[in-house]
């Protein structure tokens, strides 16, 4: 027995020597990016990498949300869990409006996703004055200066950090073509003749003149507006400065042609009408209104870039007011515009609907425009909106993909995604064959008369299942 014991001790000693030798060669500070497989030389480098490559700066986010060390640990593990599940955590992080809604504040996120994750024990406080000269500790005055300058820098950087986060979130939420789309890339279908007209009119038909005439007093607005809300609004409008999302909307033939027909096939309403296009985008609805015989059309959009493009498109089609046409494009948020070129309008048109009808939160702006500029008895297109619900089977979720992958059992992934779906909405086009019930009306909104508060509601509903439909639906 003794030789065996000696052999065991010898083996352990050998393993210990091997481990010690390995440890000398391995950089224990190597840190995996929160959002990709990239490995960085330190936690600090990983934070800077994520800020530049993915638009999320953990150091600044921690400061903005006043996270404790425990909060930071949970947040890191939450992000890694979401990414490991194939999801982007940015939307959940952005939706964090109060401590009660923080998605990472669960005890399960105290367990490391990655063993020995350097981000979990990184000294964030040490970063506060990282650029201060090394040597003796700072005096009280120096510490105060450092604290003040850090706070100022944090405030200055906060806008850029949140803006980058929102832009990254927009990129992930929009069509795949948008991820690679470069600024001012022409949409498909625009030929070189149009481009020539655009270039020729660029110096004449910009929105700057209108912008100067209708400029808002930014100081007055900012005094009554929360800074964080302003940053979110700015990023929201910037996300509409890409052609991809406008192509997606225009390519929806059912929706676009319904608007076209409502305008062009309604001469009693449109002939000689003054029209306000809320959130005009590329100006397609404004041009439909002009085609229908409107005498004046004011298109307003909060995105500087897309308003500029709309102005040039309108001019290229001979419809700009500066060239004798009926259309004027104004860049700005309606709530911040003190006036428009006309005092009242006869018709308001807007393509404001989002996922689940109310997702884009543009309805409030439409109601504001109605109360501010629509004449008594004027029309809103559309004037009614309804929200419906139906039960759907597993086929509607796309989870059946994970039943078998190249012959291997992947049901574990399916289960993970099913649990995630209880917390986060899935946005998918659902085939009628995947419905398990008839639809029921949850809410109908009368856009011409409702208050903004009416869009926030709770309601009882009953879904009536069809046994034959249930039998037909695919199962997980």
């Amino acid at each position: 027995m003794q030789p065996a014991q000696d052999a065991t001790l010898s083996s352990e000693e050998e393993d210990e020597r091997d481990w010690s030798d390995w440890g000398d060669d391995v950089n224990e500070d190597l840190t995996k990016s929160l959002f990709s497989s990239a490995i960085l030389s330190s936690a600090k480098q990983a934070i800077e990498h994520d800020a530049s490559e993915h638009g999320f700066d953990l150091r600044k986010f921690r400061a903005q949300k006043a996270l404790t060390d425990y909060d930071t640990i949970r947040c890191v593990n939450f992000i890694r869990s979401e990414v490991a599940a194939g999801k982007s955590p940015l939307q959940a992080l952005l939706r964090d409006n109060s401590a009660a809604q923080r998605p990472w504040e669960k005890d399960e996120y105290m367990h490391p996703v990655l063993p020995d994750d350097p981000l979990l024990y990184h000294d964030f406080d040490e970063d506060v004055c990282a650029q201060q000269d090394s040597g003796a500790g700072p005096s009280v005055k120096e510490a105060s200066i450092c604290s003040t300058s850090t706070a100022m820098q944090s405030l200055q950087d906060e806008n850029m950090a949140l803006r980058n986060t929102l832009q990254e979130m927009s990129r992930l939420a929009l069509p795949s073509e948008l991820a690679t789309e470069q600024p001012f890339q022409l949409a498909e279908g625009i030929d070189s003749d149009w481009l020539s007209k655009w270039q020729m009119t660029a110096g004449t038909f910009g929105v700057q003149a209108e912008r100067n005439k209708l400029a808002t007093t930014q100081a007055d607005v900012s005094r009554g507006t929360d800074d964080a809300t302003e940053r979110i609004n700015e990023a929201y409008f910037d996300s509409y400065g890409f052609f991809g999302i406008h192509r997606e909307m225009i390519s929806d033939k059912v929706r676009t042609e319904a608007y076209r027909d409502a305008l062009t096939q309604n001469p009693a309403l449109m002939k000689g009408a003054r029209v306000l296009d809320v959130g005009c985008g590329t100006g397609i609805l404004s041009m439909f209104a002009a085609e229908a015989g409107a005498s004046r059309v004011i298109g307003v959009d909060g995105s500087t870039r897309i308003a500029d493009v709309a102005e040039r498109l309108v001019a290229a089609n001979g419809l700009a007011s500066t060239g004798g046409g009926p259309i004027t494009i104004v860049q700005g948020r309606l709530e911040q515009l003190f006036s428009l070129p006309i005092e009242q309008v006869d018709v308001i048109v807007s393509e404001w609907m989002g996922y689940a009808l109310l997702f884009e939160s543009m309805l409030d702006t439409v109601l504001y425009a109605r109360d501010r500029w629509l004449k008594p008895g004027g029309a809103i297109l559309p004037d009614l909106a309804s929200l419906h619900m139906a039960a759907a089977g597993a086929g509607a979720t796309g989870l059946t993909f994970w039943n078998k992958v190249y012959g291997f059992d992947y049901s574990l992934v399916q289960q993970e995604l099913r649990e995630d779906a209880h917390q986060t909405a899935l946005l998918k086009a659902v085939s009628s064959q995947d419905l398990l019930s008839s639809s029921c009306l949850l809410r109908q909104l009368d856009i011409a008369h409702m208050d903004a508060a009416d869009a926030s509601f709770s309601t009882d509903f009953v879904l009536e299942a069809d046994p034959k439909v249930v039998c037909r639906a695919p199962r997980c």
Side-chain angles (χ1 to χ4, degrees), residues 22 31 60 93 106 212 387 442:
W22 179 86
T31 307
K60 294 172 184 174
L93 293 169
K106 299 178 183 178
N212 291 339
L387 182 62
L442 295 181

Side-chain angles (χ1 to χ4, degrees), residues 24-277:
D24 291 339
D25 297 332
V26 176
N27 186 347
E28 295 180 357
D29 291 333
L30 290 179
T31 307
K32 186 176 182 292
S33 164
L34 286 172
F35 300 94
S36 70
S37 58
I39 304 296
L40 289 306
S41 61
S42 67
K44 182 178 179 181
Q45 290 295 321
I47 293 170
E48 293 174 354
H49 169 84
D50 288 339
S52 63
E53 297 298 322
H54 304 285
F56 179 83
D57 190 321
L58 178 60
R59 180 179 58 250
K60 294 172 184 174
F61 184 82
R62 183 179 189 270
Q64 292 161 14
K65 302 300 181 183
L67 300 186
T68 66
D69 290 341
Y70 290 116
D71 290 332
T72 305
I73 290 172
R74 291 189 183 97
C75 187
V76 168
N77 289 324
F78 165 74
I79 294 173
R80 293 206 187 280
S81 297
E82 293 289 283
V83 172
K87 301 189 299 184
S88 169
L90 293 177
Q91 184 174 3
L93 293 169
L94 181 65
R95 198 171 53 239
D96 169 35
N97 296 318
S98 68
Q101 297 175 336
R102 292 179 170 180
W104 61 81
E105 293 215 336
K106 299 178 183 178
D107 288 340
E108 64 188 85
Y109 295 125
M110 285 300 295
H111 300 288
V113 175
L114 295 182
D116 300 322
D117 188 344
L119 285 176
L120 300 183
Y121 49 83
H122 179 65
D123 189 351
F124 288 90
D125 293 333
E126 191 177 66
D127 290 344
V128 172
C129 292
Q131 296 181 349
Q132 186 174 355
D133 292 338
S134 60
S139 65
V140 174
K141 180 178 180 181
E142 290 171 335
S144 176
I145 292 174
C146 178
S147 176
T148 302
S149 63
T150 300
M152 288 295 294
Q153 185 64 44
S154 177
L155 289 172
Q156 292 170 354
D157 290 344
E158 184 180 351
N159 180 41
M160 185 59 67
L162 183 57
R163 185 186 181 98
N164 288 341
T165 299
L166 287 169
Q167 288 176 342
E168 174 68 2
M169 200 183 92
S170 299
R171 182 186 68 79
L172 293 170
L174 297 178
S176 58
E177 65 174 18
L178 193 56
T180 57
E181 188 176 71
Q182 298 299 316
F184 293 98
Q185 176 181 340
L186 291 178
E188 289 184 16
I190 298 180
D191 58 23
S192 58
D193 289 339
W194 181 89
L195 178 59
S196 297
K197 292 179 181 178
W198 188 359
Q199 292 170 336
M200 289 169 57
T201 58
T204 307
F205 299 115
V207 295
Q208 191 60 48
E210 253 347 289
R211 202 174 296 149
N212 291 339
K213 286 190 293 182
L214 303 173
T216 60
T217 305
Q218 294 298 329
D220 292 342
V221 174
S222 62
R223 278 195 291 268
T225 306
D226 179 78
D227 288 343
T229 302
E230 282 297 294
R231 286 190 291 273
I232 291 173
N233 285 338
E234 183 177 357
Y236 168 79
F237 287 115
D238 284 351
S239 73
Y240 281 86
F242 298 92
F243 293 122
I245 191 170
H246 295 283
R247 176 180 175 179
E248 181 185 19
M249 292 188 290
I250 292 173
S251 297
D252 186 339
K253 289 175 63 66
V254 173
R255 175 167 55 179
T256 303
E257 292 179 5
Y259 274 95
R260 181 198 63 189
D261 293 346
L263 292 166
T264 60
Q265 298 180 18
N266 200 347
L269 175 66
M270 296 301 300
K271 192 68 174 178
R274 299 162 297 173
V275 179
L276 174 60
D277 181 0

Side-chain angles (χ1 to χ4, degrees), residues 320-385:
S321 58
T322 49
I327 302 178
T328 300
I329 301 295
V330 177
Q331 189 278 317
R333 303 177 209 169
L334 272 172
E335 294 88 343
Q336 294 183 2
L337 294 176
F338 298 139
S339 64
L340 288 176
I342 52 180
E343 290 298 319
Q344 284 189 322
V345 297
D346 305 295
V347 179
I348 290 177
V349 63
S350 178
E351 200 291 272
W352 57 267
M353 296 82 72
Y355 297 115
L357 186 62
L358 300 172
F359 176 76
E360 289 186 338
S361 301
M362 261 192 65
L363 179 58
D364 284 358
T365 300
V366 174
L367 299 182
Y368 175 86
R370 177 199 67 187
D371 296 341
R372 174 69 176 80
W373 282 290
L374 186 64
K375 75 172 188 180
I380 298 181
L381 299 177
D383 59 345
L384 294 176

